[in-house]
Amino acid sequence: MFKRLVFLGPPGVGKGTQARRLAADFSLAHISTGDILREVIKQNTPLAQRVRSYMESGTLVPDEVVLELLLERMSQPDVKEGYILDGYPRNIKQAYDLEKAGVAVEGVVYFYADEETLIKRISGRRTCRLCSRVYNIYYDPPTVDGRCECGGELFQRSDDTEDVVRARLREYRQKTSPLVQHYKERGVLCEVDASGTPDEVYEKLLRAIEAT
Ligand code: AP5
């Protein structure tokens, strides 16, 4: 199985959910640029303010900012055994930036689902403030309302509101979706129908990457 992967797909399709599981099962580093950027905006710095304004409007953070953060993460020792890039690249320029930086991409998994499914998954997402575990009030609810197993408070991401989600979907269609064709032409793309339960999608993911 390839161990240097990119996960591609619209907001809410389940990239993070599948990436966490695959990374744990195969000892891969899960590198989510969304998570990295959410850590950045917790700090009180000019960079944090700049990044926050993009994320809260649902638009892509400038390429050079994300590239620098990504390469810093890629320099850590845990990426040696393999990695899943979850949410990077997000446009054609970023795909070339990755190539130029010499970051190998052996396989690209494109997850797809209809828009109704995406909206329901996004609107139901809740994250733990303490351990970052992701729940879904419709599909994977916590035992105690608003509380994680660890006792932490659950919150809704600030970019999961209706207006921002609409903007994120627009960004995805305009800037990210051309990557599907880009990687198809390079012969590294496999497609996974992300409808169904997380277990069902995981089975499809394993079959797809084994066949690549
Ligand atoms: P990011 O955090 O990457 O958000 P995203 O791509 O919009 O993806 P999501 O996190 O919304 O969804 P997901 O596909 O991971 O779904 P999840 O597994 O959580 O990026 C956020 C922002 O950061 C961007 O808008 C941009 O501003 C910036 N950014 C990030 N990367 C960038 C880059 N490279 N360049 C520039 N800017 C960048 O699942 C969603 C919910 O559904 C969860 O509740 C989950 O429990 C549930 N769920 C998952 N799978 C299933 C299933 N099969 N059945 C039922 N429920 C499910």
Side-chain angles (χ1 to χ4, degrees):
M1 191 191 89
F2 290 134
K3 292 195 158 187
R4 289 167 182 82
L5 298 166
V6 163
F7 277 13
L8 185 64
V13 74
K15 304 180 293 296
T17 303
Q18 298 300 328
R20 276 188 290 276
R21 185 161 171 187
L22 191 73
D25 287 354
F26 293 90
S27 303
L28 307 176
H30 172 207
I31 302 177
S32 155
T33 43
D35 288 348
I36 293 171
L37 291 164
R38 277 184 285 278
E39 282 305 311
V40 167
I41 64 176
K42 284 183 188 163
Q43 298 146 21
N44 189 17
T45 60
L47 177 66
Q49 282 170 19
R50 199 167 156 229
V51 167
R52 188 179 299 114
S53 68
Y54 288 99
M55 290 180 82
E56 288 187 348
S57 66
T59 52
L60 295 187
V61 174
D63 295 336
E64 68 282 5
V65 174
V66 191
L67 181 65
E68 193 179 329
L69 292 164
L70 177 84
L71 294 182
E72 194 184 306
R73 175 66 184 87
M74 297 292 297
S75 69
Q76 290 170 23
D78 65 323
V79 302
K80 281 214 178 83
E81 298 305 315
Y83 44 80
I84 303 168
L85 301 184
D86 166 9
Y88 194 98
R90 220 122 159 163
N91 57 31
I92 298 284
K93 163 83 168 52
Q94 291 185 4
Y96 284 117
D97 285 344
L98 209 53
E99 251 178 63
K100 262 188 246 156
V103 177
V105 174
E106 297 167 340
V108 175
V109 184
Y110 165 48
F111 294 91
Y112 63 91
D114 59 54
E115 203 159 303
E116 203 185 317
T117 303
L118 304 178
I119 305 270
K120 183 133 193 217
R121 287 183 185 173
I122 290 176
S123 65
R125 173 168 45 202
R126 299 291 183 275
T127 308
C128 175
R129 262 189 219 292
L130 285 183
C131 71
S132 301
R133 180 169 163 185
V134 177
Y135 289 84
N136 194 286
I137 57 168
Y138 306 117
Y139 304 110
D140 176 24
T143 319
V144 179
D145 240 12
R147 286 275 153 205
C148 178
E149 297 276 287
C150 79
E153 184 200 2
L154 299 183
F155 72 99
Q156 186 165 24
R157 263 169 53 176
S158 60
D159 63 345
D160 278 352
T161 58
E162 203 181 317
D163 280 0
V164 183
V165 169
R166 217 174 291 126
R168 284 162 62 200
L169 287 168
R170 206 167 39 238
E171 285 282 273
Y172 174 78
R173 280 191 290 267
Q174 287 173 1
K175 299 178 181 164
T176 310
S177 66
L179 286 169
V180 173
Q181 186 58 27
H182 175 87
Y183 283 121
K184 206 180 257 177
E185 283 165 9
R186 277 157 181 72
V188 290
L189 191 89
C190 62
E191 304 192 16
V192 171
D193 173 359
S195 58
T197 65
D199 284 351
E200 287 165 353
V201 179
Y202 191 64
E203 285 306 311
K204 291 185 233 180
L205 167 64
L206 291 180
R207 281 201 300 274
I209 47 183
E210 274 156 15
T212 310

